[in-house]
Amino acid sequence: MSSQTSECGCDSTAHNLMTIDEANVIINESINKIISLEIVAIRDSLNRILASDIISKINVPSDINSAMDGYAIKYNDLVENSITKLKIVGTSFAGKPWHGKLNCGETIRIMTGAVLPGTADSVIMQEHVNRNDDYITIEGCHKKSQNVRGIGEDVNVGDVILKKGKLIRPAEMGLLASMGISEIKVMQKLRVAFFSTGDELQPLESTLSSGQIYDSNRYSLFGMLSRLGVELIDLGVIKDDKELIRQTFISAAECADVVITSGGVSVGDADYVKEILDEQGTITFWKLAIKPGKPLAFGKMNQSLFFGLPGNPVSVMATFYMIVQPALLTMMGHQNTQVFTVQARVLSDIKKRPGRLEFQRGILQQEKGQPLTVNSTGGQGSHMMTSMSNANCFIVLEQDNDGVKKGEMVNIILFDGFM
Ligand code: AMP
Ligand code: MG
């Protein structure tokens, strides 16, 4: 590593590298958003992007109902600073309302979700009454309208409840169902083709000869892309052969909105990706000021967007999460691709040379009631997939950071949702 360290202790390979923010701006300018729509059933809508506003045709709740198991009363029946005695004249169940009308001095037993009878306006929790045959007595302090859910408290008829561009998560599936909506318009799935490049890459379960490795990138890419709900086009492993890579790029660009490759974007003798992309489309080749993941090719061929990711497995995942994924989500029509950072206290020193923004792998922990702490996963080599697997967050160390001492606060990005 000494050959990469200058006299000042900086990362000497980091000169004139582009920042991740600059790269993301350029990518955003090249993005074409998906415009085609399709209609899907709610159960098929997870991770899809809503293609039109959802306006509710009903109020939710559509009746005044009880938030508790208890007794429905007229608030004005309560005797201030004394005991109130009321006669039980009926029962209202969820789905089986009591159709009577409360008179003064009367109450009904009511279950959670059951409709309140006309003239009742409050509910006393069953734990707060004493029952004696057909009578209850109530003591203590109570508020008018307590434990009552009003009409439209959650959703108002005619309101825009979900906006175009909203990601459908389990909460949206439930919310749509609560309005009785069974199908929605979503953006068509993004078609993403991906392949690995490298003569050393072998199929799983095969016997490896010296110098050979299993192709792991296509599996982590498969997993990361599956989570985004895109249409996957797996083009396999392509040897370091210029003509084969050329043909694969051409056919990938014909069938996909986005093409993602791993490997072959460095400056080795068998790294043909950059050359072919240069020849077939418009390509920007970047050395980014990030670690892991310095070499990255980005460009366009016809209408397809290209991301040529590095070969090292951790670099593939880090560049995917920090660069490719936000771009894919934007193309899919997602309105909010913001990634949140939170702060945690580091439990041991972390080494770093100034020069590149680093995404070290960390383990975030929290003792009950205590602030967040984070520990490094240990070895941070970009070939070490165990560091990704052991991690539940990235520890984000800014470009000019020169290491962190135990006890200092660091920014972290939690592996959550799509990570
Ligand atoms: P490259 O960018 O092609 O020079 O590859 C950089 C490193 O990543 C080399 O050690 C490769 O063997 C490794 N690598 C490339 N592609 C893959 C892959 N699909 N799965 C696992 N490792 C890979
Ligand atoms: Mg290679």
Side-chain angles (χ1 to χ4, degrees):
M1 290 307 269
S2 59
S3 63
Q4 294 196 347
T5 311
S6 68
E7 278 170 27
C8 68
C10 297
D11 181 349
S12 62
T13 61
H15 291 305
N16 299 322
L17 302 184
M18 187 184 274
T19 68
I20 195 167
D21 290 341
E22 289 165 341
N24 280 331
V25 167
I26 294 174
I27 291 170
N28 262 322
E29 284 165 358
S30 327
I31 281 178
N32 294 327
K33 288 190 183 166
I34 294 277
I35 46 168
S36 316
L37 322 175
E38 64 179 308
I39 293 176
V40 294
I42 296 297
R43 287 198 175 181
D44 297 323
S45 70
L46 188 63
N47 292 340
R48 304 296 295 271
I49 308 289
L50 203 55
S52 63
D53 291 352
I54 299 287
I55 296 170
S56 184
K57 292 196 174 114
I58 61 161
N59 285 310
V60 184
S62 41
D63 295 290
I64 301 176
N65 69 89
S66 177
M68 293 285 173
D69 292 330
Y71 293 86
I73 62 155
K74 292 151 73 90
Y75 183 77
N76 285 344
D77 273 354
L78 293 179
V79 186
E80 216 174 312
N81 302 322
S82 185
I83 296 174
T84 306
K85 187 173 177 187
L86 300 173
K87 184 171 197 285
I88 304 165
V89 294
T91 304
S92 186
F93 292 95
K96 272 190 232 146
W98 180 72
H99 292 292
K101 199 173 144 215
L102 278 193
N103 294 309
C104 289
E106 291 179 347
T107 183
I108 59 158
R109 176 96 174 97
I110 194 162
M111 311 306 161
T112 306
V115 176
L116 243 71
T119 68
D121 55 23
S122 310
V123 171
I124 310 289
M125 281 169 71
Q126 64 187 30
E127 292 84 348
H128 293 168
V129 308
N130 285 312
R131 181 168 181 165
N132 229 322
D133 295 331
D134 286 346
Y135 287 87
I136 55 165
T137 51
I138 306 166
E139 280 182 80
C141 197
H142 299 278
K143 283 195 189 129
K144 190 167 185 182
S145 303
Q146 71 179 22
N147 303 321
V148 170
R149 302 163 173 165
I151 290 176
E153 218 173 70
D154 190 17
V155 168
N156 255 305
V157 64
D159 280 0
V160 175
I161 303 303
L162 293 171
K163 283 218 160 93
K164 176 180 172 179
K166 180 88 178 169
L167 172 73
I168 304 296
R169 304 166 303 168
E172 282 68 37
M173 296 168 83
L175 178 57
L176 288 160
S178 77
M179 295 183 271
I181 295 169
S182 64
E183 288 181 333
I184 51 168
K185 279 187 198 149
V186 294
M187 309 308 293
Q188 205 128 59
K189 282 189 178 181
L190 200 65
R191 295 163 306 164
V192 182
F194 59 109
F195 60 93
S196 299
T197 66
D199 284 340
E200 73 279 33
L201 305 178
Q202 299 302 314
L204 314 187
E205 303 286 350
S206 61
T207 306
L208 297 180
S209 306
S210 171
Q212 296 182 328
I213 60 170
Y214 295 115
D215 166 27
S216 61
N217 290 343
R218 220 156 33 91
Y219 294 85
S220 50
L221 273 171
F222 178 91
M224 294 187 290
L225 288 166
S226 296
R227 279 201 175 159
L228 299 184
V230 301
E231 191 185 316
L232 297 167
I233 306 163
D234 184 348
L235 298 174
V237 175
I238 309 300
K239 294 270 175 222
D240 290 318
D241 174 297
K242 221 189 260 186
E243 189 47 35
L244 272 179
I245 293 179
R246 180 183 288 117
Q247 286 316 316
T248 312
F249 271 132
I250 292 169
S251 49
E254 275 164 11
C255 65
D257 304 302
V258 181
V259 181
I260 302 173
T261 64
S262 75
V265 287
S266 309
V267 287
D269 290 344
D271 293 334
Y272 299 125
V273 169
K274 172 185 178 297
E275 197 181 321
I276 306 287
L277 292 179
D278 251 336
E279 165 200 301
Q280 297 292 326
T282 49
I283 273 299
T284 329
F285 177 65
W286 290 326
K287 293 197 169 183
L288 294 182
I290 60 170
K291 190 178 176 183
K294 191 167 57 168
L296 192 127
F298 167 73
K300 255 187 166 172
M301 194 173 138
N302 301 330
Q303 287 312 303
S304 301
L305 222 56
F306 272 113
F307 291 94
L309 306 185
N312 277 310
V314 180
S315 310
V316 167
M317 293 198 75
T319 50
F320 184 91
Y321 284 143
M322 303 317 301
I323 297 170
V324 182
Q325 181 163 290
L328 298 187
L329 290 172
T330 305
M331 287 179 86
M332 288 157 72
H334 198 321
Q335 292 297 338
N336 184 5
T337 59
Q338 189 183 3
V339 174
F340 293 105
T341 56
V342 293
Q343 291 225 311
R345 198 171 295 286
V346 275
L347 294 175
S348 49
D349 293 359
I350 298 180
K351 282 191 190 146
K352 180 186 179 297
R353 288 199 304 266
R356 292 197 262 164
L357 173 69
E358 287 198 16
F359 297 98
Q360 297 208 6
R361 274 72 70 209
I363 303 166
L364 188 71
Q365 289 160 322
Q366 189 169 38
E367 300 278 335
K368 203 169 177 209
Q370 296 300 308
L372 296 171
T373 57
V374 68
N375 225 336
S376 167
T377 55
Q380 295 288 316
S382 57
H383 59 296
M384 295 167 70
M385 274 303 269
T386 49
S387 76
M388 275 307 290
S389 175
N390 291 335
N392 59 8
C393 66
F394 282 132
I395 301 171
V396 187
L397 302 173
E398 294 303 321
Q399 215 163 331
D400 52 4
N401 180 296
D402 60 355
V404 181
K405 290 270 170 257
K406 176 181 172 179
E408 288 179 10
M409 298 300 282
V410 287
N411 284 330
I412 61 140
I413 294 174
L414 203 56
F415 293 170
D416 190 20
F418 286 139
M419 286 192 169

